C-alpha cells in the first residue's frame, strides 16, 4: 500500500510517498514559494537525481496539482495513476485537547481543526489548506490527520496546568500542549526496540534538538511532561526562540523599548535563542565555528543551550523517579557531538556517562553511553514522515 505524506506550511508543501509493506521511501519533494513569485517544485525519486521546475502556483491546490503530476510522471513518477495512492497522511500541528491520537479526516474533524486554529494561527490554517487541496484533487482517497500535540495529551494535569487563574484554562484552554509529538513518539518507539524492552516498562527522556527544540519525559509509554507549552516558544533555548523566561521581562522590555506585545512576540520567536545570544546565527554550525574562533557571545550561547537541556533532564529524572534512557534526535543532536558531550558532562552522579568514542558518530542509530552508564544514551535520527505514514496505514488499513 502506497501512502502519501503531506506537511503543508503557509507557503510550502513537503511530501513523501512510502511503500508501507517494506517502509521503503519511493520519492520525496518540496514545493516552495506557493502564492508568491518564483514558485518551485523540487522532486526526488529514490535513486534518481533531483528534478526542479519553476512554475507559477497561485495556491495550495495548484501546488498539489504539480505534486500529483510528478507522482504519476512516466519518468520520475512512482505510480501509473493516482488510484495507486491508497491513503494520504497529513501533518497537523494543533488538535488542542480534542484528539490524543491520529484520526481519519471527516467534515467533522475539519470543523474541530478550524476551531483549533486560534491556538496555532501560523500553522493550522496552512495544514487545513493542504487538506482541502488534497480532498479536492483526490476526493475518494481516505486521509488521516497526525497531530504534533497528540502524543503529549497523556500528560497529567500537574504537568499541563499553569500557575495562572484556573479560569484561563477553563475559558480559553490556556495550558501546556507540547509539540514535536510525532518525533518524540517515533524515537521512543525506536528506543524501545533498540533496548529490547516493552515501552510500558521504560522511563525515557527524548531530546528533539533541531532549529526548534523540545524535550519530553516518556513514562511507561505515555508523555508525563514536555518542555514546549501553550506555544512552541517555551522550554529549551532554540535557534531563534527564547524558551523559558521570566514572563515579567516582556512587559519590562516593552515599556523600555516602546514595543507592543506583537513586537515582543516577534522578539521571543524570531530574534532570541542562540541567534539573539550570539549575534552570529541561528545555525549551530555557525555558532560553534564562531565559538571555536573565540567569539565570547557564541561561547555563552552554547553554554546556555546545554545548561537548559541539562536542567530539563535533571527535572524529568526527578519527575519520573529515574530514567532508563536519554535519546538524542533532530538536526543538532543527530549531528553535533560537541553539544551532546556538553549536555551529558558532569552527570555521572545521576548515572549518566557518555562514551567519547561511541559519541563520535552522526546521523545513524547508535548507543553512545559508556558501559558504566546506568542510563543508556541513544542517538536516533527522527523520521516524522514514517510515523505519519504508519499511523495512516494503520487507520486506513482497518477501514
Ligand atoms: P532540524 O530543525 O532538525 O532540521 O535541525 C536543524 C539544525 O541542526 C540547524 O539549525 C543546525 O543548527 C543543526 N545542525 C545541522 N547539522 C549540524 C552539525 N553538523 N553540527 C551542529 N549542528 C548541526
Amino acid at each position: 500500500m502506497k501512502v502519501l505524506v503531506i506537511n503543508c506550511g503557509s507557503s510550502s508543501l513537503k511530501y513523501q510517498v512510502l511503500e508501507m509493506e517494506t517502509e521503503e521511501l519511493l520519492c520525496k519533494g518540496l514545493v516552495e514559494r506557493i502564492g508568491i513569485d518564483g514558485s518551485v517544485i523540487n522532486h526526488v525519486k529514490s535513486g534518481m537525481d533531483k528534478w526542479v521546475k519553476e512554475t507559477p502556483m497561485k495556491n495550495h491546490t495548484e501546488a498539489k496539482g504539480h505534486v500529483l503530476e510528478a507522482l504519476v510522471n512516466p519518468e520520475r513518477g512512482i505510480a501509473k495513476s493516482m488510484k495507486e495512492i491508497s491513503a494520504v497522511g497529513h501533518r497537523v500541528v494543533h488538535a488542542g485537547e480534542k484528539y490524543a491520537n491520529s484520526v481519519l479526516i471527516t467534515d467533522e474533524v475539519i470543523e474541530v481543526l478550524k476551531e483549533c486554529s486560534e491556538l496555532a494561527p501560523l500553522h493550522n490554517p496552512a495544514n487545513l489548506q493542504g487538506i482541502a487541496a488534497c480532498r479536492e484533487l483526490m476526493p475518494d482517497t481516505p486521509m488521516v490527520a497526525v497531530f504534533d500535540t497528540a502524543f503529549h495529551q497523556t500528560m497529567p494535569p500537574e504537568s499541563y496546568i499553569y500557575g495562572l487563574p484556573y479560569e484561563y484554562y477553563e475559558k480559553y484552554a490556556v495550558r501546556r500542549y507540547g509539540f514535536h509529538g510525532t518525533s518524540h513518539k517515533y524515537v521512543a518507539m525506536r528506543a524501545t526496540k533498540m533496548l529490547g524492552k516493552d515501552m510500558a516498562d521504560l522511563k525515557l527522556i527524548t531530546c528533539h534538538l533541531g532549529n526548534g527544540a523540545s524535550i519530553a519525559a516518556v513514562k511507561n509509554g505515555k508523555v508525563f511532561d514536555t518542555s514546549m507549552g501553550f506555544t512552541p516558544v517555551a522550554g529549551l533555548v532554540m535557534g531563534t526562540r527564547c524558551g523559558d523566561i521570566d514572563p515579567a521581562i516582556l512587559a519590562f522590555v516593552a515599556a523600555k523599548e516602546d514595543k507592543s506585545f506583537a513586537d515582543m512576540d516577534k522578539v521571543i520567536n524570531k530574534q532570541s535563542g542562540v541567534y539573539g545570544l550570539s549575534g552570529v546565527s541561528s545555525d549551530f554550525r555557525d555558532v560553534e565555528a564562531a565559538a571555536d574562533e573565540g567569539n565570547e557571545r557564541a561561547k555563552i550561547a552554547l553554554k546556555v543551550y546545554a545548561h537548559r537541556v541539562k536542567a530539563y533532564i535533571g527535572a524529568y529524572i526527578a519527575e519520573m523517579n529515574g530514567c532508563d534512557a536519554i535519546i538524542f534526535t533532530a538536526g543538532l543532536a543527530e549531528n553535533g557531538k560537541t553539544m551532546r558531550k556538553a549536555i551529558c558532562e558532569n552527570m555521572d552522579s545521576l548515572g549518566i556517562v557518555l562514551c567519547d568514542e561511541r559519541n563520535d558518530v552522526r546521523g545513524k542509530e547508535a548507543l553512545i553511553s559508556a558501559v558504566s552508564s546506568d542510563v543508556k544514551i541513544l542517538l536516533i535520527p527522527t523520521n516524522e514522515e514514517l510515523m505519519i505514514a504508519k499511523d495512516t496505514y494503520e487507520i486506513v488499513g482497518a477501514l
Side-chain angles (χ1 to χ4, degrees):
M1 175 167 152
K2 289 184 179 64
V3 170
L4 169 62
V5 175
I6 300 276
N7 181 354
C8 233
S10 55
S11 67
S12 69
L13 187 167
K14 279 192 231 163
Y15 62 93
Q16 286 193 1
V17 178
L18 293 105
E19 185 60 74
M20 292 316 295
E21 282 72 19
T22 53
E23 293 185 2
E24 184 194 354
L25 175 67
L26 301 178
C27 72
K28 63 179 180 179
L30 168 66
V31 187
E32 288 178 294
R33 302 181 65 84
I34 299 167
I36 52 177
D37 275 355
S39 306
V40 61
I41 173 168
N42 297 267
H43 173 86
V44 189
K45 178 177 175 175
S46 295
M48 278 177 79
D49 287 340
K50 188 181 353 182
W51 173 78
V52 182
K53 185 180 166 194
E54 213 179 300
T55 178
M57 298 178 215
K58 282 204 293 288
N59 52 41
H60 284 78
T61 307
E62 287 190 12
K64 188 68 207 315
H66 286 283
V67 172
L68 299 191
E69 230 172 77
L71 297 184
V72 296
N73 183 282
E75 224 179 290
R76 54 192 165 268
I78 45 80
K80 285 199 181 67
S81 87
M82 283 312 289
K83 288 203 175 77
E84 285 179 41
I85 306 284
S86 308
V88 184
H90 290 270
R91 176 199 179 205
V92 179
V93 167
H94 220 307
E97 291 186 316
K98 302 287 185 193
Y99 301 117
N101 287 299
S102 305
V103 290
L104 188 73
I105 297 176
T106 60
D107 291 344
E108 193 193 332
V109 168
I110 288 184
E111 285 313 308
V112 169
L113 296 182
K114 280 185 188 162
E115 283 169 30
C116 293
S117 285
E118 188 185 37
L119 298 172
L122 296 180
H123 295 101
N124 269 34
N127 302 153
L128 282 163
Q129 269 182 314
I131 293 172
C134 276
R135 288 183 111 201
E136 195 178 325
L137 297 169
M138 305 167 75
D140 300 323
T141 310
M143 302 194 188
V144 169
V146 180
F147 308 105
D148 277 26
T149 48
F151 189 44
H152 301 301
Q153 276 295 303
T154 52
M155 277 189 289
E158 61 267 34
S159 297
Y160 70 72
I161 296 285
Y162 289 120
L164 286 166
Y166 195 73
E167 70 204 63
Y168 297 155
Y169 169 59
E170 291 176 312
K171 283 204 289 198
Y172 311 121
V174 171
R175 51 158 285 179
R176 181 187 305 284
Y177 289 100
F179 300 88
H180 294 140
T182 312
S183 175
H184 288 290
K185 185 175 173 185
Y186 175 77
V187 298
M189 284 169 65
R190 286 301 310 158
T192 304
K193 264 228 159 100
M194 285 170 80
L195 298 170
K197 294 254 171 77
D198 195 323
M199 217 198 288
D201 300 327
L202 287 170
K203 294 171 183 172
L204 304 171
I205 296 178
T206 50
C207 309
H208 178 110
L209 311 181
N211 200 17
S214 66
I215 178 163
V218 184
K219 187 180 176 189
N220 310 129
K222 292 178 177 174
V223 174
F224 189 78
D225 206 348
T226 191
S227 60
M228 281 182 167
F230 180 62
T231 74
V233 77
L236 304 176
V237 174
M238 303 176 219
T240 61
R241 285 172 245 170
C242 63
D244 297 339
I245 57 167
D246 180 338
I249 294 168
L250 294 180
F252 180 82
V253 174
K256 289 275 179 204
E257 303 231 332
D258 197 20
K259 286 187 191 296
S260 66
F261 275 120
D263 295 335
M264 289 311 294
D265 203 51
K266 211 163 150 197
V267 170
I268 60 173
N269 276 289
K270 305 261 183 228
Q271 294 160 12
S272 300
V274 290
Y275 167 74
L277 278 168
S278 69
V280 173
S281 165
S282 63
D283 193 303
F284 286 85
R285 287 164 287 202
D286 303 335
V287 182
E288 282 180 358
D292 287 345
E293 283 165 16
N295 182 319
E296 287 305 320
R297 275 177 56 182
K299 283 188 204 173
I300 290 172
L302 296 172
K303 278 191 180 168
V304 171
Y305 188 94
H307 175 86
R308 182 72 56 85
V309 179
K310 197 188 267 281
Y312 264 98
I313 290 174
Y316 288 168
I317 289 176
E319 287 184 22
M320 294 195 291
N321 191 20
C323 171
D324 297 295
I326 294 170
I327 298 113
F328 284 113
T329 193
L332 168 62
E334 288 170 24
N335 296 293
K337 64 178 177 183
T338 318
M339 183 53 79
R340 292 194 300 261
K341 186 174 162 69
I343 292 166
C344 295
E345 223 150 41
N346 289 326
M347 300 247 261
D348 53 309
S349 69
L350 293 174
I352 299 166
V353 186
L354 190 78
C355 168
D356 282 343
E357 223 166 280
R358 289 176 175 174
N359 187 42
D360 192 10
V361 61
R362 59 189 291 186
K364 61 176 188 190
E365 289 186 356
L367 174 76
I368 56 173
S369 46
V371 179
S372 63
S373 186
D374 293 336
V375 178
K376 300 274 188 285
I377 310 173
L378 302 171
L379 178 60
I380 303 181
T382 195
N383 193 339
E384 288 160 287
E385 290 77 12
L386 178 58
M387 195 72 236
I388 293 170
K390 275 176 180 246
D391 274 12
T392 304
Y393 181 55
E394 207 178 292
I395 289 174
V396 172
L399 288 178

